[in-house]
Amino acid sequence: LGWIQIDHQTADGNQFEFYRRGEWLTKERTGYDLNYGASSDHNTLALENGPPEHNEPGDYRNLLWRLGSQWIYAPSGDPQILARSLSESFVYVLGDATALYNSTYEGSLDMQHASRSLVWLKSDHIVVYDRAASRTAGRFKRFWLNLPAPAAIAGNRATMTTAAGQRLYVSTLLPADASIRSEPAEILGGDVAAHEPMNFKLRVEAPGGPRTTRFLHVLQGADPGGAAHPATLVQSTAGTAFEGAVVNNTATLFPVDLGAPFTSVTYSVPGGVTVQRITGLVPNTGYRVVTETVAGTTQVTI
């Protein structure tokens, strides 16, 4: 989420990559041409906007628009890192990339919000929560991951195996009716970088192009033959809306809407959960926590 008010930058706002035991499990797909700079090659969201003013077939702006990319030239403004927290056991970041998807210069201004909350549970799990909202319904919203090998899809879980046998498990918890596909990387012109290992993609799409949607993914890196850890959805039942995931006995929750004032939140997690992390609260502020055991689960009210 670096500043972008200069040309020849890539549309990589809110990109993340995962390197484990000498191999990239996922990273950007690098090359030379405008499609390699597009968001679909950078492990971030692709969000369909209104058509740009310069939209002739073959023009780079037409290509970026068709891909749902952030704007490489003349976005409406810089992105922002809104929060971050680092410790020996986790890393948390919150980034707002809304301005990158809009362009005042091109008159393409339909995106209302695009943000990503990400928690890396060291060392093998990543929980990613994406918020996307447009002013107009019927425009696609997609989550992309670049992969070194095709993924096998079973229900809401994608499994990719690297050349060395490591596994990447990707569990899609939101949207509940997501369309999940593994496909070869597209070549739309130009040259992919020499020795670029990312030749496949995982596409997760919100069906029907809803005006607003949330994506929630849990990634897990594993040794050859290593099993996937179950990942389950957690949603609040009262108070300010929060959503998140439980994986490896850890619950991680995120505010559904960044602008919603916090009053309280109530949610439940399985009894075996030993760590709970609630993002989006105000630093250096006191909170009261009440827990109760209900039918084998722990109900928490903050």
Side-chain angles (χ1 to χ4, degrees):
L1 276 179
W3 56 272
I4 197 170
Q5 293 300 302
I6 190 172
D7 60 13
H8 288 84
Q9 305 242 102
T10 53
D12 59 0
N14 280 331
Q15 171 183 293
F16 71 98
E17 302 173 310
F18 192 7
Y19 186 78
R20 184 183 188 276
R21 297 189 184 275
E23 288 184 302
W24 285 109
L25 302 187
T26 181
K27 64 177 283 293
E28 69 171 18
R29 180 167 158 83
T30 308
Y32 183 79
D33 209 346
L34 289 165
N35 65 291
Y36 292 109
S39 297
S40 52
D41 280 325
H42 286 281
N43 285 359
T44 189
L45 296 184
L47 305 171
E48 183 180 4
N49 208 320
E53 181 177 336
H54 302 88
N55 199 27
E56 297 75 19
D59 189 286
Y60 74 89
R61 288 157 288 198
N62 173 267
L63 174 63
L64 294 175
W65 169 64
R66 287 190 291 110
L67 292 173
S69 179
Q70 301 163 11
W71 293 103
I72 293 175
Y73 303 104
S76 291
D78 289 328
Q80 291 182 300
I81 295 176
L82 300 179
R84 58 185 174 185
S85 183
L86 294 83
S87 80
E88 292 184 357
S89 59
F90 74 93
V91 172
Y92 159 64
V93 287
L94 166 61
D96 186 343
T98 307
L100 300 180
Y101 289 92
N102 289 318
S103 175
T104 303
Y105 179 80
E106 291 294 340
S108 184
L109 297 167
D110 196 56
M111 288 310 304
Q112 285 185 312
H113 186 81
S115 68
R116 167 169 284 176
S117 296
L118 183 148
V119 173
W120 173 32
L121 305 173
K122 299 180 183 180
S123 59
D124 285 338
H125 299 87
I126 302 173
V127 185
V128 188
Y129 187 74
D130 289 294
R131 308 166 190 83
S134 56
R135 293 177 173 81
T136 305
R139 291 179 166 165
F140 68 74
K141 294 172 177 63
R142 297 169 183 159
F143 170 96
W144 286 103
L145 278 183
N146 296 282
L147 301 173
I153 312 296
N156 71 337
R157 179 181 293 157
T159 303
M160 185 277 302
T161 303
T162 69
Q166 291 192 84
R167 293 182 180 177
L168 174 66
Y169 297 108
V170 183
S171 297
T172 300
L173 303 183
L174 290 174
D177 57 349
S179 170
I180 307 171
R181 293 172 48 186
S182 176
E183 55 194 60
E186 221 176 357
I187 298 177
L188 300 176
D191 299 303
V192 67
H195 311 298
E196 171 56 62
M198 299 294 119
N199 294 314
F200 297 88
K201 290 178 177 289
L202 182 69
R203 176 207 296 231
V204 180
E205 185 155 357
R211 194 189 66 78
T212 183
T213 194
R214 300 293 182 268
F215 293 95
L216 175 61
H217 290 88
V218 177
L219 284 70
Q220 177 192 342
D223 293 339
H229 295 155
T232 57
L233 175 67
V234 177
Q235 293 177 305
S236 60
T237 56
T240 304
F242 275 70
E243 295 177 322
V246 170
V247 62
N248 203 27
N249 297 324
T250 298
T252 307
L253 274 74
F254 309 96
V256 174
D257 296 304
L258 293 184
F262 182 84
T263 54
S264 67
V265 62
T266 298
Y267 62 93
S268 295
V269 296
V273 169
T274 56
V275 177
Q276 301 179 46
R277 293 195 177 94
I278 316 303
T279 71
L281 302 182
V282 179
N284 304 313
T285 301
Y287 291 88
R288 184 167 60 92
V289 181
V290 178
T291 63
E292 182 182 0
T293 300
V294 180
T297 68
T298 301
Q299 179 178 284
V300 180
T301 299
I302 303 174

